[in-house]
Amino acid sequence: PGARYVILSDETEWSSTLAHELGHFFGLSHTENPDGLMTTGAKRSGPPSLDAAQLKKVKARAKAWVKKKR
């Protein structure tokens, strides 16, 4: 609560970096999937993605966060 974050990236795809860091906000950890959003340092062959389990976790955390803010 009350924390502030600064995200620095030298990538040209800064939106992927932001999405990756938001993944951490929603409780996701790093993965070994080379095309996954939560991988580190890999060059993706396509757009970053979440697997079904990651997406389920993000949705649950988002729903709980919204409910808590009401």
Side-chain angles (χ1 to χ4, degrees):
R4 295 175 188 244
Y5 299 90
V6 174
I7 299 170
L8 302 174
S9 175
D10 63 355
E11 292 184 31
T12 56
E13 296 293 324
W14 63 268
S15 58
S16 292
T17 301
L18 179 58
H20 174 94
E21 296 307 326
L22 285 171
H24 288 305
F25 175 81
F26 286 106
L28 301 180
S29 300
H30 290 137
T31 65
E32 298 295 322
N33 177 359
D35 288 328
L37 177 65
M38 298 308 296
T39 193
T40 58
K43 296 296 180 195
R44 295 180 190 94
S45 60
S49 60
L50 296 175
D51 64 29
Q54 289 171 320
L55 188 55
K56 183 177 179 180
K57 187 173 192 174
V58 168
K59 286 181 178 181
R61 294 270 177 118
K63 187 175 181 178
W65 186 75
V66 168
K67 187 176 181 179
K68 183 179 177 181
K69 294 293 181 181
R70 289 185 184 178

